[in-house]
Structure formats: structure tokens, C-alpha cells
Amino acid sequence: MKVGFYANGTKPSARAAKRNLAALASDLGLAVVPPSRAEVVTVLGGDGTMLRAVHEFPGRPLLGLNLGGLGYLASVGGGSFAKALGALAKGRWSVSERTLVEVRKPSHGPSFPALNEIAVRAGVSGHAAVLDVESDGNAVTRFLADGLVIATPTGSTAYSLSAGGPVLVPEVPALVLTPLNPHALGSRPIVVPDSVRFAVTSRSRGAGARESVAVYADGEHVFDLAANETAEIFKGDRTAKLVELAGYDPYKVMSRKLGWKGSSVK
């Protein structure tokens, strides 16, 4: 099988690990090729490196070897790198198809995909945004907030979770809309079917107001919204492909990465 290695070039440890693991992969009978030609791309870094790989190698299965901190997407820890390559060599792995969400301006250029989330945020720190939200053409509400996050199940453990959103397992066919610091106690995250198409429209706060609203896909700024401009957000046609090794347990990963300790009551 052809395996490529993609590393976070800013980390000396990633470059060294890439050399060592490429040699080990060859010893295991794997063919080491450039990532663009690989059947599986092995990603060395943290979750940020995994997100970059999703966008750089669309449609290719990605195996994340964690050299970062939290490492939810890059779930294989440093002590298990050799074991992970051995599982690849023996064919003891499968592919998990992960939902991508996309954002675009109606009739304005391309759409931008994201594995974790689309974020719509006030462009000026300390200034709330006024955002009208529609779901399949039906008015949801008007948010006065720092912004909104529309997250996939994969992204439910990222930005959305830090803003108080729920955790979804990857197989759930849903999206999560989570307000960021809303100016209303009744504003809460909403879980909807992933067939829903959201329209988020920026509104002016009043005469002379010039607050801008910025739109991000997986943390990358993609465009701004002026007053009365709309962003459409919807499930993409493509998926991201993440490698799961034999014995992978998503609940163990969540427990370890999110610090779930359980009750101390005996």
C-alpha cells in the first residue's frame, strides 16, 4: 500500500518524526510516496495540521499522529505511532466518512468547505453583531451576539463545545448552531438535521453603524458580510475521510481528550 507523510513544517519534531516513520513504513513493506499519490496520508502534527490536510488532500484517507496538544482529530498518541503503521501494513483499519459543511454568498463566487465549523463573527472586538437566521427559509431568530458557530458532528468538540454546545458522535446526521456570547439568556444551541440550509444575514445596529461581520471556515477567513448581506451554510456533497484503526473507540477518545473522569461517588 502507498503511504504518504504530511508534517507540520514549523515543528522540528514533526520533521524528525517524518524521517523516522518513513523508514519504519518501508521496513513494514509500505511504499512511501508523496502525499498527493498516497492511498493513505499520515498526518504528523495536531488538529490544526489535520484540518490543513483535509483541505489540501480532499478525498484521501487521513491518519492523524498527534504531535500537538489536545489531538482530537489527530488521535494516535506518540507511543502508538509504530503500532499504527503496523495496523496500516496489515490492513487493520477502516475509513470514517465525516460530514463537511460549506458556506457561500448567494450568487457570489465559490463555496468554502469546513470539517469542523463555519463561524460568523463580529469583525470588531467588543462590538456585538446583529444576525438574522433562517432555516430552510423559515425565520429562526435574530441574534445579538459576538457571532454564531454552525458545527458538524466532528466539529462539535471544537469551537462549538467551548461556546457551550453539545457533543455529537461523528455518525449523527446533524448540525449544531451555537451562539457566541448572546445578549439573551434564552439563546441556546440548536441541533438540527444536516439536510437543513441556514441563511445568516448581517443587519446594521443603527444609523451610522459600520460594524463588519467576518465569516470563517475551519478558522480561515473566507469573506466579510456588509449590512444586509447573507451567508448560506449547508452540508457539502463531499466528505472528509479519516482513518480509524482496528479497535478504535470514539468514547475512549472523547473521555481521554475531554477529561471525562466520571463520578467519584462509590
Side-chain angles (χ1 to χ4, degrees):
M1 188 178 70
K2 297 177 181 177
V3 176
F5 289 89
Y6 176 77
N8 183 342
T10 66
K11 291 180 177 285
S13 60
R15 295 194 294 270
K18 179 179 176 181
R19 290 192 299 270
N20 295 335
L21 290 174
L24 175 59
S26 296
D27 292 341
L28 291 169
L30 297 167
V32 179
V33 299
S36 60
R37 292 171 41 210
E39 296 171 73
V40 172
V41 177
T42 301
V43 182
L44 295 163
D47 285 352
T49 310
M50 280 290 288
L51 289 174
R52 287 192 291 274
V54 166
H55 297 289
E56 190 160 340
F57 308 107
R60 295 191 183 276
L62 306 175
L63 172 63
L65 306 185
N66 184 29
L67 295 176
L70 181 60
Y72 185 75
L73 295 174
S75 59
V76 178
S80 301
F81 288 179
K83 183 179 178 180
L85 289 181
L88 284 184
K90 295 174 182 176
R92 300 182 66 246
W93 58 280
S94 60
V95 171
S96 174
E97 302 271 355
R98 301 295 182 91
T99 295
L100 294 175
V101 65
E102 299 190 17
V103 63
R104 69 174 182 180
K105 286 187 183 182
S107 305
H108 287 73
S111 62
F112 299 90
L115 173 60
N116 273 353
E117 77 278 311
I118 302 298
V120 183
R121 301 198 322 233
V124 179
S125 178
H127 288 223
V130 179
L131 302 171
D132 283 345
V133 179
E134 292 185 353
S135 167
D136 287 341
N138 299 311
V140 176
T141 190
R142 170 171 289 184
F143 287 101
L144 176 62
D146 287 351
L148 299 170
V149 172
I150 291 93
T152 67
T154 301
S156 70
T157 57
Y159 197 0
S160 175
L161 180 65
S162 70
V167 174
L168 303 182
V169 295
E171 295 80 9
V172 173
L175 299 174
V176 181
L177 187 154
T178 304
L180 301 172
N181 299 321
H183 290 222
L185 292 177
S187 294
R188 292 291 184 267
I190 305 170
V191 179
V192 300
D194 62 13
S195 58
V196 163
R197 296 175 72 93
F198 286 106
V200 179
T201 303
S202 174
R203 302 298 188 192
S204 174
R205 294 189 62 186
R210 295 181 176 272
E211 292 93 341
S212 63
V213 171
V215 179
Y216 299 82
D218 280 345
E220 295 293 326
H221 178 253
V222 291
F223 56 78
D224 293 323
L225 294 178
N228 301 317
E229 283 193 319
T230 297
E232 292 184 339
I233 301 163
F234 51 92
K235 178 184 176 182
D237 293 330
R238 298 183 295 108
T239 60
K241 302 180 188 301
L242 302 188
V243 170
E244 294 181 353
L245 302 175
Y248 173 81
D249 183 342
Y251 297 101
K252 286 184 179 179
V253 174
M254 284 191 286
S255 178
R256 184 173 68 252
K257 301 300 182 180
L258 302 181
W260 291 351
K261 301 298 184 182
S263 173
S264 60
V265 177
K266 297 182 179 179

